[in-house]
Amino acid sequence: MRIPDIGDFADVPVIEVHVAPGDVVAAEDPVLTLESDKATMDIPAPAAGTVEEVLVQVGSRVSTGDVVLRMTESGTGTAPATHPVTHEDAVPAPVDRPGYGSAAGVYDRVEVVVPELGDFADVPVTEVLVGPGDQVGPHTPVVTLESDKAVMEIPASQSGTVEDVAVRVGDRVSAGSILLFLRTEDAPSRPAAAATPAAEPAAASGPGDVRADVLVLGAGPGGYTAAFRAADLGKSVVLVDRWPALGGVCLNVGCIPSKALLHAAKVIAETREMAEHGLSFGEPSVDVGKLRSWKDQVVGRLTGGLAGLARQRKVTTIRGSGRFTSPNQVQVELADGGTTTVDFEHAIIAAGSEPVRLPFVPHEDPRVMDSTGALELADVPRRLLILGGGIIGLEMATVYHELGAEVTVVELMDQIIPGADKDLVQPLYKRISQTYAGVHLKTKVTAVEARPEGLVATLEGETSTTATFDRMLVAVGRRPNGPAIGAERAGVVVDERGFVPVDKQMRTNVPHIFAIGDVVGQPMLAHKATHEGKVAAEVTAGQNSFFDARVIPSVAYTDPEVAWVGVTENEARAAGIHYGKGVFPWAASGRALSLGRDEGFTKLLFDEAGHRVIGAGVVGPSAGELIAELGLAIEMGADAADIGLTIHAHPTLSETVGMAAEAFEGTLTDLYLPKRKK
């Protein structure tokens, strides 16, 4: 098969390949999609037949007459394709999700679906013949279906390794239903995390005190979302959590209280900065008690609202710490004393994570804080040491610096926020280097001694030194709570790092038990957990839902804010991705100049083959708000023209997104940029 006459176009990139060897196609079925600078073109099969060999791939460039595949003609002209092939982008997946959660997640995979079954629909699965990790050929049976007239074995559509199985015995399927996902032989392999073998599950000791269709263990953003969604789908739900109010770490001692204090810090900073422009205020008078009370009121409104939503949905809430005692029972140590047991049909583990503790730090000393302690805002120390230059540490640094503390940050890596590109965090690094007492990179704290006069820390970097601090915040990461829930008594696997492995439907190795959020792995972000929670709840209700996010945004609510989504430049270079870049500096943004904050920029990364956006980063005020548009653009497969031709309001910070796309396209007029080499 050759490329037909496509007019004046030549050297046009292939952006999608719709078929693979062994596929049966009908005449006029699209086999390739090309994209010129003016149009997207589907190239159809010239006749019905079987694909023998595909000679091009995504990113190849073709012209009229080029041979693109070989096929054996059948002459029938009516044979349907046996499976859809999803090419989500021209970029391989990273081996593991990087750092604090940029989670590029753009990759190729093959879905094996139920082929046309004639008049049959809603047919039960009677056998599942393969599992994750199995190698299959193009005709290997993967499931068996049984109608009232026949038993049918459904074969794999092509060779590969089974990644996820989407059905189990008893499920009912129809033509087009997804059965499993294959990684083809040329796709990058994803090594599984080493896991401790599941112990033999324990037997239930007797009937429980409470029964639920769905038990949710943990009421953070993922947990309460899962509980509410399951209730909306008609399930009886019990929600177990150890906190006095619903919302978990995020609402009680994490995301929400930190953002309230960060807003206060922003107000202080902005009033100080306006003095340079003729608007002066006196030094702020900080009433820590009132500030703490306001922060607590914000938290109370949100957690109280969740309690109301639980009542409206008739979700039973139990306050206490739950541990599995068998595959269908959890025992809860009640917060007010005693125990109760819950029998369940399905369980969703949303147990979250805890701050990492370091052996050389005297954590028992009240002057040593984790993120929870820092948000209690007991006082504002004169000298504060922050161990860890990641998102949590730098957000707390922002708060305490503006409240008057002398802040010193120590980071082991060669940059702050190691998961982000170095250029993206440079404006933040420059700002805090000039205003904090110290920002030490490639430095580690090797010892901390608690003395009456303060915490004496030993810092080792290019030189070794000691310094005394009034308080210390340890913000070096979080560890999952997988080992704390008695998973072994339910037969649930927990890996050596404490994570619970799950599939795309959030199932653990025990089919009726699911896990979501921090406990299933990076990125440990609330907005990931909420989407996973919905998937898990919907699967318990029989829906064919999957967690299949291409990208997950990350935001540091520092000053300036730093946000990124999709592939970073570090990841692109490591993976050998051919990418282009469009950058718009905020020094040329009228809105940024009017805010007195011109140090930021907007950066977009594009796949050179099809000009589709694959990653983005923003640094500057409101970066966390701007990143949403770019996440949507990646999810929808937008290219540079789609973004650049979208009219953004003027003057806004959001128009820097469109201008960064124009910078890549070479159509930008707000700056003079040398023409890109073709």
Side-chain angles (χ1 to χ4, degrees):
M1 172 184 163
R2 298 177 182 272
I3 296 293
D5 185 358
I6 53 176
D8 296 330
F9 298 110
D11 200 28
V12 182
V14 176
I15 62 169
E16 291 184 82
V17 178
H18 301 291
V19 295
D23 286 354
V24 178
V25 297
E28 303 303 319
D29 276 354
V31 295
L32 304 174
T33 300
L34 312 181
E35 185 171 69
S36 72
D37 57 349
K38 297 181 179 178
T40 299
M41 298 169 278
D42 281 338
I43 304 300
T50 302
V51 177
E52 299 293 339
E53 185 180 5
V54 180
L55 304 176
V56 294
Q57 59 185 353
V58 172
S60 299
R61 290 181 174 267
V62 296
S63 302
T64 300
D66 286 350
V67 178
V68 292
L69 59 85
R70 295 187 175 92
M71 57 187 291
T72 301
E73 190 171 350
S74 67
T76 63
T78 59
T82 59
H83 70 281
V85 179
T86 303
H87 288 273
E88 296 183 344
D89 215 313
V91 185
V95 171
D96 197 9
R97 294 195 185 279
Y100 200 81
S102 64
V106 273
Y107 52 91
D108 291 346
R109 69 178 180 187
V110 175
E111 300 170 349
V112 177
V113 302
V114 178
E116 184 60 44
L117 299 174
D119 295 330
F120 298 111
D122 201 29
V123 183
V125 176
T126 57
E127 289 182 277
V128 177
L129 306 173
V130 295
D134 287 352
Q135 299 286 329
V136 298
H139 304 295
T140 304
V142 294
V143 300
T144 302
L145 311 181
E146 185 173 359
S147 72
D148 57 352
K149 296 181 180 179
V151 175
M152 297 167 279
E153 286 188 342
I154 306 301
S157 49
Q158 65 184 84
S159 299
T161 303
V162 177
E163 284 200 323
D164 294 309
V165 179
V167 295
R168 56 179 177 167
V169 173
D171 288 352
R172 291 181 173 269
V173 296
S174 302
S177 297
I178 298 173
L179 299 175
L180 54 86
F181 298 92
L182 280 181
R183 183 180 70 247
T184 55
E185 293 174 350
D186 57 350
S189 174
R190 299 185 199 173
T196 55
E200 187 68 27
S205 59
D209 303 308
V210 183
R211 191 202 169 278
D213 294 333
V214 179
L215 166 80
V216 182
L217 194 57
Y224 74 70
T225 297
F228 294 172
R229 181 66 178 132
D232 289 345
L233 292 169
K235 297 293 183 179
S236 63
V237 180
V238 170
L239 180 57
V240 176
D241 194 71
R242 60 190 172 89
W243 289 93
L246 299 181
V249 169
C250 179
L251 268 69
N252 286 281
V253 293
C255 319
I256 303 307
S258 67
K259 301 314 167 281
L261 294 179
L262 283 161
H263 173 69
K266 181 181 179 182
V267 170
I268 295 172
E270 288 181 341
T271 56
R272 182 182 299 117
E273 289 161 2
M274 285 305 295
E276 298 179 12
H277 310 298
L279 187 59
S280 298
F281 299 85
E283 281 298 309
S285 174
V286 179
D287 186 326
V288 173
K290 277 190 174 181
L291 184 60
R292 186 190 311 114
S293 177
W294 170 70
K295 177 261 297 181
D296 292 342
Q297 287 175 14
V298 172
V299 171
R301 286 187 63 182
L302 285 170
T303 57
L306 290 179
L309 292 172
R311 287 192 298 270
Q312 290 171 330
R313 289 177 163 88
K314 297 181 173 55
V315 171
T316 300
T317 59
I318 299 176
R319 185 184 169 203
S321 298
R323 291 177 62 88
F324 288 97
T325 56
S326 77
N328 290 92
Q329 194 172 81
V330 158
Q331 183 178 77
V332 183
E333 296 287 337
L334 299 173
D336 55 3
T339 63
T340 191
T341 57
V342 182
D343 292 340
F344 57 83
E345 182 179 347
H346 294 94
I348 300 174
I349 301 168
S353 61
E354 295 289 336
V356 169
R357 295 169 69 90
L358 299 173
F360 57 85
V361 174
H363 290 278
E364 69 283 354
D365 191 298
R367 294 171 294 183
V368 176
M369 307 179 293
D370 57 17
S371 57
T372 299
L375 288 167
E376 289 174 357
L377 202 64
D379 56 37
V380 179
R382 184 171 68 88
R383 300 163 299 179
L384 173 64
L385 171 63
I386 295 182
L387 181 51
I391 290 178
I392 295 174
L394 292 178
E395 288 183 351
M396 289 297 93
T398 301
V399 170
Y400 277 89
H401 167 71
E402 295 300 344
L403 293 178
E406 296 176 4
V407 175
T408 298
V409 177
V410 175
E411 168 56 45
L412 183 62
M413 305 299 287
D414 62 354
Q415 69 169 68
I416 57 174
I417 314 182
D421 284 331
K422 194 167 187 176
D423 65 336
L424 196 65
V425 300
Q426 191 60 28
L428 172 61
Y429 176 71
K430 181 178 179 181
R431 184 178 176 89
I432 64 177
S433 295
Q434 295 170 348
T435 55
Y436 290 3
V439 181
H440 303 284
L441 303 178
K442 295 191 288 187
T443 303
K444 59 184 177 180
V445 175
T446 57
V448 179
E449 183 181 353
R451 297 180 185 174
E453 68 272 20
L455 298 166
V456 180
T458 301
L459 280 59
E460 291 188 3
E462 293 183 357
T463 60
S464 180
T465 184
T466 60
T468 303
F469 301 91
D470 302 301
R471 279 189 177 272
M472 174 183 183
L473 167 61
V474 180
V476 293
R478 299 182 67 86
R479 61 185 179 195
N481 287 328
I485 58 174
E488 70 282 353
R489 297 184 66 82
V492 172
V493 168
V494 178
D495 74 19
E496 59 188 9
R497 296 178 296 166
F499 292 110
V500 178
V502 293
D503 64 14
K504 291 287 187 179
Q505 291 193 304
M506 313 315 299
R507 290 186 197 272
T508 68
N509 62 299
V510 179
H512 67 279
I513 299 179
F514 301 74
I516 62 172
D518 288 4
V519 80
V520 304
Q522 297 285 3
M524 291 184 175
L525 298 171
H527 43 277
K528 175 187 77 105
T530 57
H531 284 263
E532 291 174 337
K534 287 184 178 180
V535 169
E538 289 165 0
V539 176
T540 67
Q543 296 189 11
N544 201 26
S545 298
F546 293 83
F547 183 75
D548 194 22
R550 276 192 171 188
V551 290
I552 301 171
S554 291
V555 183
Y557 297 91
T558 46
D559 184 19
E561 290 184 6
V562 180
W564 69 99
V565 67
V567 178
T568 66
E569 285 197 76
N570 292 337
E571 294 166 12
R573 285 191 291 265
I577 297 169
H578 297 292
Y579 70 94
K581 179 168 63 174
V583 179
F584 187 81
W586 286 17
S589 163
R591 180 60 173 159
L593 291 173
S594 70
L595 294 173
R597 298 299 297 273
D598 64 351
E599 75 270 33
F601 64 85
T602 300
K603 174 175 72 172
L604 275 60
L605 304 182
F606 298 93
D607 171 17
E608 282 282 21
H611 289 193
R612 295 192 180 191
V613 60
I614 59 173
V618 184
V619 54
S622 300
E625 306 296 334
L626 300 180
I627 206 67
E629 176 185 352
L630 293 162
L632 179 62
I634 297 172
E635 285 284 355
M636 298 190 70
D639 62 17
D642 293 326
I643 299 170
L645 294 175
T646 298
I647 298 177
H648 294 75
H650 174 78
T652 60
L653 296 175
S654 66
E655 67 184 333
T656 66
V657 172
M659 290 175 174
E662 290 179 347
F664 172 77
E665 288 276 272
T667 60
L668 180 65
T669 56
D670 286 62
L671 289 173
Y672 175 74
L673 300 174
K675 292 186 180 295
R676 294 178 69 235
K677 294 181 179 180
K678 297 295 185 181

